[in-house]
Amino acid sequence: MLAKRIILFLTYMDGILFRTKKFNADYRYTDSFVSNTYADEIVIVNISKDSSKNQDLKFFEAITRITKNCFVPITVGGKIKNIEQIKNFQSCGADKILLGTLPYENPEMVNRIISKFGSQFVILSIDVKKNGNSYSVFINNGKDKVNFNLNDYTKFILKFNPGEILINSIDRDGSLLGFDIDLCKHIKSLSKVPVLASGGFGNWTHSIEALKSANLDGICTSNIFHFTEKSLYALKEFLKKQKINVR
């Protein structure tokens, strides 16, 4: 059985690393937060409002700086449009890429990316908001709703044959109220590839619900409480006592 993963999730906006709340910048971090050896992976997503080439260059420079001092796999996402950008991220030291908007806006490019770099290099994300008893899917950092229901969009995403899927709950992001377990279970039931979840991690019990009850393959957190070696080590020891296989 593959080990479950604890993943640190940060966003980069106009030169600064942030924690988010409902997809809005909420708390500022420094680069030192991405050097934690007790994390299994780190995800950094560019949500900069400035879409210029100069801002892209600054993001590449930030990733290069971070990877030099980090010894766990790093996934990079946000504003990725073409293969040349991905080559640049690889040269910066990125181990995987995360694509959220591109599959909807340019599915042919996603097929080209996966054909060139392989499925295991690509994570596709689905950003959702709860609407009564159903869910709506959004792109462009939660700004634009797509014309798919959740089931159809998940099936659409899976046709690309990605290495993994990341499900983001916009409602739970930064809330510390726990993962949307019904949502997690539903996506897991539809997927034949590993499923990760982000949005809501606030205490140790939430990790059991996600990794054991929903049988997710990994959980993401951007909560500062979990960002010390001591707390990440304690979390993993706690999960081991719950008979959950972690790294």
Side-chain angles (χ1 to χ4, degrees):
M1 181 187 295
L2 292 176
K4 308 288 188 177
R5 286 169 286 154
I6 309 299
I7 300 165
L8 304 188
F9 194 104
L10 282 176
T11 51
Y12 171 97
M13 186 173 72
D14 302 329
I16 301 170
L17 290 172
F18 282 98
R19 179 182 74 187
T20 58
K21 189 170 185 178
K22 293 190 175 180
F23 277 36
N24 293 306
D26 178 53
Y27 188 94
R28 182 172 178 168
Y29 291 128
T30 64
D31 290 1
S32 62
F33 279 102
V34 296
S35 62
N36 197 309
T37 55
Y38 280 100
D40 297 311
E41 297 175 26
I42 294 168
V43 175
I44 303 176
V45 178
N46 183 11
I47 61 169
S48 297
K49 295 177 182 178
D50 180 359
S51 299
S52 68
K53 289 184 178 180
N54 183 52
Q55 188 58 243
D56 285 345
L57 178 60
K58 288 182 179 179
F59 185 52
F60 291 136
E61 290 173 347
I63 296 299
T64 301
R65 185 174 65 250
I66 289 167
T67 55
K68 283 182 179 178
N69 300 304
C70 183
F71 302 99
V72 300
I74 288 185
T75 296
V76 176
K79 304 182 182 296
I80 296 175
K81 302 291 185 183
N82 55 59
I83 288 175
E84 190 62 32
Q85 284 177 296
I86 295 171
K87 288 180 179 178
N88 288 337
F89 283 128
Q90 277 191 316
S91 69
C92 291
D95 299 277
K96 298 179 187 177
I97 58 163
L98 176 70
L99 302 175
T101 299
L102 195 64
Y104 183 79
E105 293 187 340
N106 192 346
E108 179 54 35
M109 178 58 68
V110 176
N111 283 325
R112 288 177 57 196
I113 289 169
I114 289 178
S115 176
K116 182 172 182 61
F117 297 96
S119 293
Q120 296 307 310
F121 184 68
V122 179
I123 303 173
L124 299 184
S125 68
I126 306 173
D127 301 339
V128 302
K129 288 182 181 178
K130 195 166 187 180
N131 182 19
N133 293 321
S134 62
Y135 295 91
S136 299
V137 179
F138 287 77
I139 57 172
N140 292 319
N141 197 39
K143 294 180 179 65
D144 301 319
K145 183 179 176 181
V146 305
N147 296 318
F148 277 91
N149 63 39
L150 179 60
N151 274 19
D152 289 344
Y153 195 73
T154 303
K155 292 173 183 177
F156 166 72
I157 288 296
L158 287 169
K159 286 182 180 179
F160 291 105
N161 190 33
E164 298 176 300
I165 290 178
L166 170 63
I167 182 76
N168 290 306
S169 170
I170 298 173
D171 307 289
R172 299 289 181 110
D173 181 46
S175 70
L176 310 183
L177 296 176
F179 297 97
D180 186 330
I181 296 302
D182 290 338
L183 171 64
C184 294
K185 286 181 176 179
H186 184 63
I187 299 299
K188 182 66 177 178
S189 72
L190 295 174
S191 179
K192 293 182 180 179
V193 302
V195 177
L196 316 174
S198 179
F201 190 11
N203 62 54
W204 288 178
T205 302
H206 297 155
S207 64
I208 299 176
E209 294 169 348
L211 297 174
K212 202 167 188 177
S213 177
N215 194 30
L216 295 179
D217 301 276
I219 51 176
C220 301
T221 177
S222 60
N223 181 1
I224 193 170
F225 177 66
H226 302 295
F227 266 49
T228 68
E229 290 191 2
K230 183 177 180 181
S231 60
L232 282 167
Y233 175 78
L235 171 60
K236 290 193 173 185
E237 290 301 302
F238 170 79
L239 290 172
K240 288 175 184 177
K241 290 179 181 178
Q242 304 299 318
K243 308 300 182 184
I244 296 175
N245 182 26
V246 293
R247 295 181 179 180

